[in-house]
Amino acid sequence: MKLVERHIIQPTHRFYAEIDRLCFLSKNLYNYSNYLVRTSWIFEKKNLSYYDLQKTLSTQADYQAMPESSISTNIDDTR
């Protein structure tokens, strides 16, 4: 069972716009990486390594728009 924590941030919060932007970018990165992993598995019958996935994602505009420290922290936490 996974425990999750939910934070509800009101639109009047001073950081709402930035948090909304970062959530949107991270959603796009997650969906694109999921697409890459799935298509690699379905058509090539191989798993993409972390290195290959990170190398491909690093050229994406959403990846480059994210703050550098949050990307490396989030990716390292998933290992």
Side-chain angles (χ1 to χ4, degrees):
M1 173 163 102
K2 283 190 173 182
L3 298 178
V4 296
E5 190 170 321
R6 183 176 178 188
H7 297 270
I8 299 173
I9 301 170
Q10 302 297 325
T12 56
H13 192 278
R14 64 184 177 142
F15 295 127
Y16 180 81
E18 181 67 11
I19 292 169
D20 186 53
R21 185 183 74 83
L22 291 174
C23 288
F24 183 77
L25 293 173
S26 65
K27 173 201 57 102
N28 289 346
L29 286 173
Y30 173 80
N31 287 339
Y32 185 60
S33 63
N34 192 34
Y35 169 79
L36 291 174
V37 169
R38 288 185 68 223
T39 54
S40 174
W41 175 252
I42 291 170
F43 297 114
E44 300 172 15
K45 298 294 187 227
K46 72 173 202 170
N47 286 328
L48 282 179
S49 70
Y50 167 78
Y51 176 76
D52 293 334
L53 192 58
Q54 194 272 338
K55 187 175 174 183
T56 304
L57 289 176
S58 65
T59 61
Q60 296 298 310
D62 291 335
Y63 184 93
Q64 294 171 353
M66 293 284 283
E68 190 173 325
S69 62
S70 68
I71 292 173
S72 60
T73 302
N74 290 339
I75 290 175
D76 289 341
D77 287 346
T78 61
R79 287 185 176 192

